[in-house]
Amino acid sequence: MTQLLSTDAVSRNQRLAYWTDMICNVYVQLGCDPVREGDPGDFEGSIRQHTLPGLDVSVVTSSPQKVMRTPGHISHSSDDYFLVSIQARGQGVVRQDGRDAVLSAGDFALYDSTRPYQLLFDESFEQIVLKLPGERLRSELRDTEALTATTVSGREGAGHLLLGMIRTLREDIDTLQPASALAVANGVQNILVAGLQTLPAASAPSLSNLAAYHLARVKRRIDEQLADPSLSVSTLATGLGVSVSHIHRVFKSEPLTPSQYIWERRLQACSRDLLEPRLAGRPVADIAYGRGFNDAAHFSRAFRERFGCSPREWRQQRMQ
């Protein structure tokens, strides 16, 4: 689903106010000021927004400006998103958590809507902005607060791969089928996580071969038993012939606890099933039960918290 928003749609004296409304609707509650004195009617900007399952991709082209998310904005909104600004043209600055990330073309930086931030642009610019639910990234990365407002280069490594994928996505996004769109969205997140893991603040001791084996063994058993509603850390330990403390120990270096990991895998499986054409006629509750949920209301709440919409909205909107 794609929409184009532009200040060309309103009269000159309404452009800045309209732009502020636009960025609030597409992203989160924000304030915006021009960085230069002059006629507000000279302000120009456009946003082309593309919606994928669990990921919004937008292309922003605009005049110089300063964008602010203040404690006041946060107090009036419960939005919990991570946003990633990928600089396509010009230069920008992402300011959060006492750090400034200076972005040149190809660079990107992460910021968190649950805390104040600023975006600064002294010249006209173009950015590609990714927006994904907060819990989604926290399930993949530890200590995300240490990773915000830090420049990731797009000229090498995972940053370069992300930039290439986003450029291709811009060309093909309107032709993707729902199941393919989900796979692409997951691929973008995986490369994003890889890029953020290259930052010094994300470095952690690597697992030994033995620890990696035990972790993979536990995760494999979880995937094999997702459909069992009685699956828990206790039953997992019993089935593997190990102690509960052993299960927790092998997850010590992971961003999620074992229980959280089980629910995360169930939700991911349900998100895929809801977009599977062969399952289009299956009720939402049946899909949830087939992945180990035993309470439809709990499933719906957990799905909304994880993906930002209800299971039915996910299925309906992404199939359009």
Side-chain angles (χ1 to χ4, degrees), residues 7-155:
T7 54
D8 291 340
V10 298
S11 60
R12 287 173 56 86
N13 64 344
Q14 295 178 314
R15 284 182 173 181
L16 187 58
Y18 181 69
W19 177 257
T20 302
D21 287 343
M22 283 167 55
I23 59 176
C24 289
N25 289 333
V26 173
Y27 305 112
V28 291
Q29 291 298 305
L30 298 164
C32 181
D33 290 329
V35 296
R36 297 175 183 168
E37 295 184 2
D39 184 355
D42 292 336
F43 188 91
E44 295 180 331
S46 68
I47 301 175
R48 183 176 295 275
Q49 183 185 20
H50 311 276
T51 302
L52 297 175
L55 176 70
D56 285 352
V57 181
S58 53
V59 181
V60 183
T61 304
S62 179
S63 301
Q65 61 185 278
K66 176 182 179 181
V67 177
M68 303 144 289
R69 182 156 169 84
T70 66
H73 293 128
I74 294 169
S75 69
H76 289 93
S77 169
S78 60
D79 291 333
D80 180 7
Y81 294 102
F82 280 105
L83 298 109
V84 178
S85 285
I86 305 168
Q87 199 72 25
R89 180 172 53 81
Q91 191 172 76
V93 176
V94 175
R95 177 173 294 165
Q96 190 172 51
D97 298 323
R99 294 182 294 273
D100 285 4
V102 179
L103 305 180
S104 299
D107 298 337
F108 70 87
L110 176 77
Y111 43 109
D112 185 340
S113 74
T114 64
R115 297 189 305 283
Y117 64 79
Q118 294 181 0
L119 308 177
L120 310 174
F121 306 97
D122 290 334
E123 304 290 340
S124 296
F125 69 95
E126 180 177 277
Q127 276 194 343
I128 303 166
V129 181
L130 312 180
K131 175 184 169 186
L132 61 161
E135 282 306 310
R136 185 176 186 189
L137 203 58
R138 293 188 191 95
S139 72
E140 299 286 342
L141 290 168
R142 284 186 176 275
D143 303 323
T144 53
E145 188 170 342
L147 305 179
T148 54
T150 304
T151 304
V152 180
S153 173
R155 286 169 286 284

Side-chain angles (χ1 to χ4, degrees), residues 39 51 70 74 85 103 106 123 137 139 171 186 199 209 213 219 225 249-250 294 298-299 308-309 314:
D39 184 355
T51 302
T70 66
I74 294 169
S85 285
L103 305 180
E123 304 290 340
L137 203 58
S139 72
E171 297 174 1
N186 288 337
L199 298 175
N209 289 340
Y213 163 76
K219 287 184 173 182
Q225 297 185 341
R249 199 158 48 244
V250 301
N294 55 13
H298 168 249
F299 166 66
C309 64
W314 176 273

Side-chain angles (χ1 to χ4, degrees), residues 196-255:
L196 293 170
Q197 286 175 332
T198 66
L199 298 175
S203 61
S206 58
L207 294 176
S208 67
N209 289 340
L210 182 60
Y213 163 76
H214 285 301
L215 179 61
R217 179 173 177 243
V218 174
K219 287 184 173 182
R220 184 169 59 251
R221 181 59 66 93
I222 289 172
D223 283 345
E224 291 170 353
Q225 297 185 341
L226 273 185
D228 182 358
S230 68
L231 176 64
S232 66
V233 179
S234 178
T235 62
L236 192 60
T238 300
L240 289 170
V242 298
S243 67
V244 169
S245 61
H246 172 82
I247 302 291
H248 284 286
R249 199 158 48 244
V250 301
F251 268 82
K252 187 176 181 180
S253 63
E254 293 291 289

